Amino acid sequence: MLKKNALYILFLGILCILAGIGVMIWASDKFYLGIAFVVLGLVYGLAGLLLYRRVKKQAVTKVEPKE
């Protein structure tokens, strides 16, 4: 479940980055709003990546070698 949430957060970050780029291109008078969206996307993307790596690491440590 956490892995799914991490991927959703990462996807949201990518969408925010694309929205920020779109705002900077099509509404050049609102350039700072575009920068804010890009920064928000980077924060969401970083959070999603960190959560995904943590979940992946927990999954590896849960698997015990069979003896």
Side-chain angles (χ1 to χ4, degrees):
M1 184 68 178
L2 275 178
K3 186 175 183 180
K4 195 176 192 180
N5 289 344
L7 292 176
Y8 284 144
I9 293 171
L10 189 61
F11 181 69
L12 182 66
I14 292 170
L15 282 180
C16 282
I17 290 172
L18 291 176
I21 291 171
V23 167
M24 284 190 280
I25 290 173
W26 284 294
S28 58
D29 57 332
K30 300 196 186 304
F31 189 76
Y32 291 111
L33 184 63
I35 291 175
F37 270 114
V38 169
V39 169
L40 183 66
L42 289 174
V43 169
Y44 274 133
L46 181 63
L49 280 175
L50 291 175
L51 183 60
Y52 183 77
R53 288 179 69 194
R54 188 177 73 170
V55 169
K56 193 173 174 185
K57 190 176 184 181
Q58 286 177 353
V60 169
T61 57
K62 281 186 179 179
V63 176
E64 297 177 5
K66 294 181 180 178
E67 294 181 14

